[in-house]
Amino acid sequence: MSEPQKPRRRLKVAIVVLAGVVVLAGVMFAIVKGFQRQTGALTAVTTTEETDDLELGVTVLNVDPTRNEVTVRLNYASFGRYESKDEPGPAIDLEILNTSLNKPQVLLKRDTVPPTSDLTLGLDSDSLRNYPFDHGTVSLGFFARTADRREVVPLSVFFVGDIPGYLLDATGSVSEGWAYIDTSVSRSDSTIAWALFVVLVFWLISASVITVWVLFIRGRRGFEFGIFIWCAGMLFAFAAIRNSLPNAPPIGALIDFLSFFWAEAMVCLTLVAAVIVYAFRRREPS
């Protein structure tokens, strides 16, 4: 190769590397922007046009599709005209009704700082076996009144939902003094993308195992005992990878029928077939 051709070749390599870096940076930027668009759900609903009302803050703590439950934390931001002038907390006893499963009635004592309350809500979900494409809905409603039940207290509810691995979309509504937050819960794009990537990995590794053993059985490659260890290790590695999926459901989900069961079966049967061939193949004289 002549000397003038070397700089040209280096220039071409540099251009290719630079183009690859630019493309990778663009892809990473698009992924980060998409992540920012899907993290967090914020909505507010009020039962009155007045600014002097009881303000509640609702923050999602956990989503458990296995038990069809969503846990939220209830905080009390302001008591409006019911706030005590001398002591922290409300000036009179207040009662908050809600649609939770564990604390449908919360009593706020006068002149006392009310503790936060963790509420458990029912998740109306489709079958968890559709993972990672399962989704569900959850509805949370609040109604406030004085403890003597003589006066309805106006409400403003602020909802914040930001759980890794899930995409929450909330809307607010009002009906007969009740403030409702209706939330759609689904797997985040990152969770779906990772689960589908694992499906692809299972199939590619299984195909690789079968290819290696076909070459061995047909005599086109020599035997190496380490291949047995590699294949046996894949049987346990598949299970570990499957269980490490984000919020992985019990065995029997859609993702198992797409790849996991097939991968385990193909690797196991191929390994058994290779052992049989190895045991009965005669050793050729040197």
Side-chain angles (χ1 to χ4, degrees):
M1 181 179 294
S2 61
E3 291 298 329
Q5 291 179 341
K6 290 184 178 180
R8 294 180 180 178
R9 184 175 181 181
R10 293 175 180 175
L11 179 60
K12 292 180 180 180
V13 172
I15 293 175
V16 171
V17 172
L18 180 60
V21 171
V22 172
V23 171
L24 179 61
V27 172
M28 293 181 64
F29 178 77
I31 291 175
V32 171
K33 295 299 291 184
F35 172 78
Q36 291 176 346
R37 287 194 300 269
Q38 70 169 329
T39 53
L42 176 63
T43 189
V45 60
T46 179
T47 61
T48 179
E49 296 181 356
E50 300 178 5
T51 58
D52 196 13
D53 56 5
L54 172 60
E55 295 182 4
L56 305 179
V58 180
T59 305
V60 179
L61 298 181
N62 183 47
V63 177
D64 188 355
T66 305
R67 303 179 62 180
N68 285 334
E69 291 180 351
V70 175
T71 303
V72 300
R73 176 158 293 171
L74 179 62
N75 298 287
Y76 310 94
S78 173
F79 298 97
R81 65 175 182 269
Y82 301 97
E83 187 170 3
S84 176
K85 303 301 181 181
D86 303 321
E87 300 292 338
I92 60 175
D93 293 342
L94 299 178
E95 185 180 39
I96 299 178
L97 306 180
N98 61 80
T99 56
S100 68
L101 302 176
N102 60 331
K103 297 179 180 179
Q105 185 177 13
V106 179
L107 182 61
L108 307 183
K109 293 291 187 179
R110 59 178 298 183
D111 298 333
T112 303
V113 178
T116 58
S117 302
D118 290 349
L119 308 179
T120 301
L121 311 173
L123 177 64
D124 184 13
S125 174
D126 61 2
S127 177
L128 183 62
R129 296 177 60 182
N130 291 330
Y131 179 91
F133 304 108
D134 55 321
H135 66 277
T137 57
V138 59
S139 180
L140 175 60
F142 290 100
F143 179 84
R145 62 190 178 189
T146 57
D148 56 12
R149 303 184 180 183
R150 294 181 179 180
E151 183 180 355
V152 175
V153 178
L155 279 176
S156 289
V157 181
F158 299 91
F159 176 86
V160 178
D162 188 3
I163 298 295
Y166 294 96
L167 183 61
L168 282 71
D169 186 15
T171 58
S173 61
V174 176
S175 177
E176 298 180 354
W178 281 80
Y180 291 98
I181 300 291
D182 297 315
T183 307
S184 174
V185 182
S186 59
R187 306 285 177 172
S188 64
D189 294 343
S190 57
T191 297
I192 296 176
W194 177 247
L196 295 181
F197 175 74
V198 169
V199 170
L200 179 62
V201 167
F202 282 170
W203 280 105
L204 291 178
I205 294 179
S206 302
S208 301
V209 170
I210 294 175
T211 301
V212 169
W213 283 118
V214 167
L215 294 177
F216 164 68
I217 292 174
R218 296 182 62 183
R220 298 183 61 180
R221 290 291 186 274
F223 170 75
E224 296 182 11
F225 189 77
I227 300 178
F228 281 103
I229 301 176
W230 170 55
C231 294
M234 285 299 99
L235 295 176
F236 299 96
F238 284 162
I241 295 174
R242 189 264 177 222
N243 292 330
S244 66
L245 288 170
N247 303 297
I251 294 293
L254 175 62
I255 191 172
D256 299 321
F257 291 93
L258 289 177
S259 63
F260 176 66
F261 290 157
W262 293 99
E264 289 280 310
M266 286 190 293
V267 172
C268 181
L269 294 177
T270 303
L271 180 59
V272 171
V275 170
I276 294 175
V277 172
Y278 173 77
F280 289 94
R281 175 179 288 180
R282 293 184 179 181
R283 182 178 181 181
E284 297 181 359
S286 57

